[in-house]
Amino acid sequence: MPKPRHKKESTKKHPLVGRWVSGTEYGSEIEYIVTSHGTGFRVRAIDRYDGEVADVFEVKWDGQILSFGTLWNSTGRFLRCRLDAVAKNEVSYTYTYTANETWHRKSA
């Protein structure tokens, strides 16, 4: 007996679809543009300060969280990002990123 197939829902009218910016006065200048793509999403990332567009990788939707990576070529900074819709016009944005420091050998 064949397994019943569960039809995946279109993301066309999903609350994550839209343009997202920081809600704090001194927050990031990055804007994420989330669009529907069949049963998944596409993401664009733009630095509104200088217009740089990041490379976006590994866009994944688990049914609750939209996750993706961004690479900012001008700085080499790589971010792992997560968006979770918490209200009609609000998302929770969690990110981790690479950092670069210069270190020196400690004297003996």
Side-chain angles (χ1 to χ4, degrees):
M1 180 181 237
K3 283 185 164 181
R5 298 181 103 191
H6 297 286
K7 185 177 177 189
K8 290 189 174 185
E9 302 255 340
S10 168
T11 55
K12 200 173 215 173
K13 294 185 181 193
H14 194 278
L16 283 175
V17 172
R19 299 172 85 95
W20 299 100
V21 295
S22 175
T24 61
E25 182 179 358
Y26 298 107
S28 171
E29 288 292 324
I30 296 173
E31 178 174 342
Y32 292 108
I33 303 164
V34 179
T35 56
S36 175
H37 182 67
T39 59
F41 298 95
R42 284 196 176 145
V43 179
R44 289 190 68 217
I46 301 169
D47 184 333
R48 293 179 300 147
Y49 179 76
D50 63 7
E52 180 180 5
V53 176
D55 296 331
V56 178
F57 300 92
E58 300 174 356
V59 177
K60 295 179 184 170
W61 169 243
D62 72 1
Q64 177 67 37
I65 305 291
L66 179 63
S67 63
F68 52 93
T70 59
L71 174 63
W72 298 92
N73 290 296
S74 65
T75 61
R77 181 168 274 186
F78 182 78
L79 284 82
R80 293 297 306 165
C81 308
R82 295 167 44 103
L83 293 176
D84 181 10
V86 294
K88 181 179 179 184
N89 294 312
E90 187 176 324
V91 295
S92 171
Y93 171 59
T94 304
Y95 65 96
T96 57
Y97 63 90
T98 57
N100 183 17
E101 300 177 1
T102 301
W103 286 32
H104 299 279
R105 185 182 320 273
K106 186 177 177 180
S107 345

